[in-house]
Amino acid sequence: MDLTDRPRRLRTDGIRPLVSETTLDATDLVAPIFVDATTDERVPIESMPGHERVPVSEAAERVAEVRETGVEAVIVFGIPESKDAEGSRAYAEDGVVQEAVRRITAETDAYVITDVCLCEYTDHGHCGLLEDHAADDPTLTVENDPTLDLLAETAVSHAAAGADMVAPSSMTDGMVGAIREGLDDAGYSDVPIMSYAAKYESAFYGPFRDAADGAPAFGDRRHYQMDPANAREAMREVALDVEQGADVLMVKPGLPYLDIVRTIRETWDHPVAAYNVSGEYAMLHAAAEKGWLDLDEVAHESLLSMKRAGADLIITYFAERVAEQLSSGR
């Protein structure tokens, strides 16, 4: 054989790490935290092994545990003590996220991101105010424009509590612009917005809805979350969010949508986030429990693939596990 190009020359142990194109670090990761106003003790999340809901009183302690692994950022989700049609506990001054953020920022040095949505706070489980008779008519859905005021009010209440960044996830048209205006008018012009810019109506969200108690009471979210079949539409969504002032652009879910991550990375110079969602986490755990996969190896490879596709930061339920793995040199 007369081969002038032998790629295997660069795969030996000594040279392999020197020519590695992509690296993963604990500082790339964001750990989700679930704070539950209805409990006084930690409650394991059955469909997400290793995760639990924590009471408000233990929110800072939970975040301190995350920080010990080298992960510097968390995103906070709340389970309120009560729900209503307007999701009023989402923007209450003494709401679960607001109280948790005050404790976390006072007692830790974590970078605190908050999820801005209404689905966990409405008694119908949808991400905004409903059109009349939506429960009985499958052609009806969330009212777009009236929902914007509540999203902006929620974001401002999070910033007032000390959130470093807000992350609107409802896929409401105009949400970034409304929140940017609300934050600026309230004196929080320095608080960035990480928009769930391309959020798909995905079957991979199942365990999260168990974790956050946010499943719809009827119907689904196809009228406001994106069709998994569409890629070009994602670019329109992202372009609108950029125009309205988004600082970070998120794709959710992560692994099934790496093509979207890559295209956004090549089109815009904004930081790109990928959400390694609950279903991705749960299925790897399930396969590992069967002995079919090595959990640490597939977790690391999954996150590395998102980074390789162009994600600057990754929200993942593997954050602590992978961070500890990285620190140990495994």
Side-chain angles (χ1 to χ4, degrees), residues 126 216-222:
H126 282 279
F218 58 86
D220 53 39
R221 294 170 178 157
R222 72 187 188 280

Side-chain angles (χ1 to χ4, degrees), residues 48 122 139 176 185 187 191-192 220 244 268 290 314 316:
M48 295 173 62
T122 55
T139 67
V176 172
D185 288 349
V191 174
D220 53 39
Q244 292 170 33
W268 286 276
K290 289 283 189 180
I314 304 167
T316 176

Side-chain angles (χ1 to χ4, degrees), residues 98-112:
Q98 292 82 351
E99 291 289 349
V101 168
R102 289 188 189 97
R103 291 171 181 258
I104 294 167
T105 55
E107 300 177 36
T108 80
D109 62 351
Y111 188 85
V112 181

Side-chain angles (χ1 to χ4, degrees), residues 85-86 122-135 140-143 147 218 224:
E86 293 77 33
T122 55
D123 53 14
H124 47 73
H126 282 279
C127 301
L129 300 175
L130 292 179
E131 295 178 319
D132 291 339
H133 310 297
L140 299 178
T141 185
V142 167
E143 286 196 283
T147 296
F218 58 86
Y224 45 100

Side-chain angles (χ1 to χ4, degrees), residues 170-222:
S170 66
M171 289 301 287
T172 309
D173 290 347
M175 65 183 185
V176 172
I179 289 171
R180 183 73 274 157
E181 182 178 359
L183 290 171
D184 291 354
D185 288 349
Y188 300 109
S189 59
D190 290 337
V191 174
I193 297 172
M194 176 168 64
S195 175
Y196 289 63
K199 181 180 180 180
Y200 286 84
E201 196 231 345
S202 172
F204 284 94
Y205 300 151
F208 175 89
R209 292 172 181 174
D210 175 35
D213 194 19
F218 58 86
D220 53 39
R221 294 170 178 157
R222 72 187 188 280

Side-chain angles (χ1 to χ4, degrees), residues 281 284-286 288 293-300 318 321 325:
Y281 176 85
L284 294 187
H285 262 278
L293 295 172
D294 182 294
L295 185 59
D296 286 330
E297 290 187 2
V298 292
H300 182 273
F318 285 117
R321 186 184 188 107
Q325 179 184 344

Side-chain angles (χ1 to χ4, degrees), residues 4-320:
T4 57
D5 191 354
R6 292 182 179 267
R8 285 180 57 179
R9 294 184 187 121
L10 300 181
R11 294 177 190 159
T12 59
D13 290 341
I15 190 67
R16 187 183 181 100
L18 294 175
V19 297
S20 180
E21 299 174 15
T22 307
T23 58
L24 187 67
D25 191 84
T27 57
D28 299 324
L29 309 178
V30 180
I33 303 297
F34 297 96
V35 184
D36 188 345
T38 70
T39 183
D40 293 324
E41 60 185 12
R42 299 193 182 198
V43 180
I45 300 168
E46 184 177 351
S47 57
M48 295 173 62
H51 285 273
E52 54 196 3
R53 298 181 183 184
V54 300
V56 175
S57 61
E58 294 190 33
E61 180 182 339
R62 177 71 188 96
V63 172
E65 294 168 1
V66 172
R67 287 291 293 114
E68 289 176 359
T69 68
V71 175
E72 297 181 355
V74 297
I75 182 167
V76 181
F77 297 92
I79 297 90
E81 64 271 31
S82 63
K83 302 186 179 191
D84 56 36
E86 293 77 33
S88 60
R89 297 304 298 171
Y91 40 90
E93 183 179 354
D94 61 347
V96 58
V97 168
Q98 292 82 351
E99 291 289 349
V101 168
R102 289 188 189 97
R103 291 171 181 258
I104 294 167
T105 55
E107 300 177 36
T108 80
D109 62 351
Y111 188 85
V112 181
I113 306 167
T114 56
D115 179 75
V116 176
C117 196
L118 300 177
C119 59
E120 294 146 54
Y121 305 88
T122 55
D123 53 14
H124 47 73
H126 282 279
C127 301
L129 300 175
L130 292 179
E131 295 178 319
D132 291 339
H133 310 297
D136 306 314
D137 186 342
T139 67
L140 299 178
T141 185
V142 167
E143 286 196 283
N144 194 93
D145 293 9
T147 296
L148 294 175
D149 291 338
L150 301 186
L151 293 174
E153 189 172 352
T154 301
V156 169
S157 72
H158 291 179
D164 296 299
M165 175 186 283
V166 295
S169 61
S170 66
M171 289 301 287
T172 309
D173 290 347
M175 65 183 185
V176 172
I179 289 171
R180 183 73 274 157
E181 182 178 359
L183 290 171
D184 291 354
D185 288 349
Y188 300 109
S189 59
D190 290 337
V191 174
I193 297 172
M194 176 168 64
S195 175
Y196 289 63
K199 181 180 180 180
Y200 286 84
E201 196 231 345
S202 172
F204 284 94
Y205 300 151
F208 175 89
R209 292 172 181 174
D210 175 35
D213 194 19
F218 58 86
D220 53 39
R221 294 170 178 157
R222 72 187 188 280
H223 289 154
Y224 45 100
Q225 294 180 359
M226 288 182 55
D227 183 346
N230 294 354
R232 296 191 302 274
E233 181 188 3
M235 300 308 108
R236 295 202 302 275
E237 285 279 9
V238 172
L240 289 168
D241 284 1
V242 169
E243 181 181 341
Q244 292 170 33
D247 300 284
V248 181
L249 307 170
M250 188 197 298
V251 178
K252 183 180 180 182
L255 281 177
Y257 299 90
L258 294 183
D259 59 321
I260 308 301
V261 173
R262 167 53 61 184
T263 304
I264 293 173
R265 170 74 290 139
E266 293 176 343
T267 306
W268 286 276
D269 61 2
H270 288 53
V272 178
Y275 200 138
N276 179 220
V277 299
S278 59
E280 299 169 51
Y281 176 85
M283 69 182 183
L284 294 187
H285 262 278
E289 288 172 6
K290 289 283 189 180
W292 297 339
L293 295 172
D294 182 294
L295 185 59
D296 286 330
E297 290 187 2
V298 292
H300 182 273
E301 186 176 338
S302 296
L303 302 187
L304 189 68
S305 72
M306 295 179 201
K307 189 82 182 295
R308 189 188 64 243
D312 299 289
L313 58 145
I314 304 167
I315 299 173
T316 176
Y317 303 100
F318 285 117
E320 293 167 273

